Amino acid sequence: CNARAPLRKADSGAVDAWSQARPVLLVDDDPLNLEVAQLHLQALGVQVEMAMSGEEALRKLLAEQGLRYAMVLLDVQMPVMDGLEVARAARSAGVRTPIVALTGNAFSDDRRQCLEAGMNDYLAKPVAPGQLYEVMKRWMAAGQSGTVGAPPAESKEAPVAPAQRDPHPRSD
């Protein structure tokens, strides 16, 4: 699937499962970004709940230890409480739901900061439907099991679903 290509119905074989899944928490302080991302998610058959601030997102996540959500799509740059703070607070409270950063910055340092804060993956804005689909495939199933958690802070590699991780990582 070309990550930049528009999503075709044939590409979304998981849509039936996603429509039965727990909702995705979509967090962004920009109403237009929320609307566009919500439309992309709904086209995949995903149930969506939204929050317009970091504080609101954290309240929703902590209410049920994140178990209400299959995954979180979290804007990094928000006023008052940014996405990095939300991820750190959620992880320190024991929330294991997959968290994917949404950011306008596509630099490796930004990606590193997101992973160090406890996020599992990273999408640069504007998010193409194909890229969103690939991230959804990677994390929705893992989020349903509730066993994901944060990637190791020292990890420099791209995050992967738990089944793909080496159970015996090297310690250099």
Side-chain angles (χ1 to χ4, degrees), residues 7-52:
L7 201 68
R8 296 182 320 264
K9 208 58 167 168
D11 292 330
S12 53
V15 168
D16 288 339
W18 292 347
S19 67
Q20 302 301 316
R22 295 185 312 233
V24 167
L25 179 59
L26 175 61
V27 186
D28 201 311
D29 61 317
D30 183 310
L32 181 59
N33 288 342
L34 273 178
E35 185 178 345
V36 170
Q38 180 184 22
L39 290 172
H40 287 319
L41 290 166
Q42 288 174 337
L44 292 172
V46 175
Q47 298 175 52
V48 181
E49 286 190 22
M50 295 184 284
M52 290 192 67

Side-chain angles (χ1 to χ4, degrees), residues 47-133:
Q47 298 175 52
V48 181
E49 286 190 22
M50 295 184 284
M52 290 192 67
S53 70
E55 300 92 333
E56 182 183 0
L58 188 58
R59 272 194 310 275
K60 287 182 176 214
L61 281 170
L62 295 182
E64 299 178 49
Q65 284 292 300
L67 295 176
R68 173 162 177 65
Y69 304 104
M71 67 183 288
V72 180
L73 295 173
L74 181 62
D75 183 23
V76 173
Q77 296 180 331
M78 294 183 287
V80 185
M81 178 179 258
D82 66 25
L84 299 174
E85 293 173 282
V86 172
R88 283 187 201 103
R91 295 302 188 216
S92 69
V95 173
R96 300 180 57 81
T97 305
I99 301 173
V100 176
L102 298 174
T103 182
N105 298 326
F107 302 109
S108 62
D109 190 51
D110 297 313
R111 185 174 186 282
R112 180 189 52 77
Q113 288 178 2
C114 291
L115 295 176
E116 286 176 354
M119 296 181 185
N120 300 88
D121 213 333
Y122 181 100
L123 280 171
K125 294 180 193 176
V127 177
Q131 290 172 322
L132 179 60
Y133 174 71

